[in-house]
Amino acid sequence: MIYAFDTYYFDDHAHTVCIVFEEWTSEKETRIFMEKTETASGYESGAFYKRELPCILSLLKQIKLHEGDLIIVDGYVTLGNGGKMGLGEYLYEALEERFPVIGIAKNEFNTPDLQRKIIFRGESETPLFLTVKGADADEIKAKVEKMHGNSRMPALLKKLDQLTRMR
C-alpha cells in the first residue's frame, strides 16, 4: 500500500490527512485517515519537520504499516548535498528505516541536491521535486510520472491537499 500524508495549519490546530491507495496508477483511494492536533510549533525556515513530523507520527498511530508499504510526504526527504535532513528523512528514521519515504514537493528548495529528481507531468511546464530514502529514486520518479491525472499534481495527491484544508 501507498500512504500519502499532508498537513494544513489553521490558527488553532493542524489537520493531517493520509490517503491510502494500492497502486501508483490507482484512480481512487482505498482509505482515508484524518486527525486534528494542536500545532506543535511555529514555522521555522529549514526546520519544517519540527512542525509537521509530530502530526504525521500522531496520525500513524491509527495505521498499521506492513512490509512493502511506502510513504509519501508533501515536502522533501533530503535538503541538499551537505546531508541536511528534510521532513521525509526524519520520518524515515522515526520509522526505524523500515519503510521507504518519498518526498514530493511543489516548490524547489534552492540548495543543490544530486539526489533530487525533477518531474514534469501533463502539459505543465512547472515541475514537481522528488527526493527518496529507502528506495530507488529513478524507479519512484517513473511511477510518479504515471500516477493518475493529467495535471502537474497527481489526482490523489491533489485530493489529499484539498482534504487537509477542510475544517
Side-chain angles (χ1 to χ4, degrees), residues 40-145:
S41 67
Y43 175 76
E44 184 181 331
S45 181
F48 177 64
Y49 73 94
K50 290 181 181 178
R51 190 174 195 195
E52 191 140 337
L53 183 61
C55 298
I56 294 171
L57 292 175
S58 179
L59 185 56
L60 270 167
K61 291 175 184 172
Q62 298 179 34
I63 300 168
K64 179 146 176 62
L65 297 173
H66 297 88
E67 187 176 332
D69 288 344
L70 304 170
I71 296 173
I72 297 173
V73 295
D74 178 23
Y76 283 92
V77 175
T78 58
L79 295 175
N81 294 326
K84 187 169 183 181
M85 294 169 50
L87 166 65
E89 192 164 357
Y90 282 101
L91 178 59
Y92 183 68
E93 284 190 355
L95 297 174
E96 301 173 346
E97 302 180 359
R98 293 178 51 219
F99 305 97
V101 177
I102 297 128
I104 300 176
K106 297 177 278 295
N107 299 307
E108 186 171 16
F109 192 76
N110 54 7
T111 303
D113 187 342
L114 295 173
Q115 298 176 66
R116 186 180 311 138
K117 304 296 179 186
I118 296 172
I119 299 172
F120 289 95
R121 288 182 36 90
E123 301 296 316
S124 179
E125 294 180 16
T126 305
L128 295 171
F129 303 93
L130 175 80
T131 49
V132 176
K133 201 74 171 176
D136 182 89
D138 289 317
E139 287 178 20
I140 299 297
K141 177 184 177 192
K143 292 176 180 184
V144 172
E145 289 171 337

Side-chain angles (χ1 to χ4, degrees), residues 11-31:
D11 289 336
D12 60 341
H13 70 278
H15 187 219
T16 304
V17 178
C18 174
I19 285 187
V20 184
F21 48 101
E22 292 182 32
E23 303 291 333
W24 285 100
T25 55
S26 295
E27 293 182 34
K28 188 158 178 55
E29 72 279 355
T30 57
R31 183 124 189 236

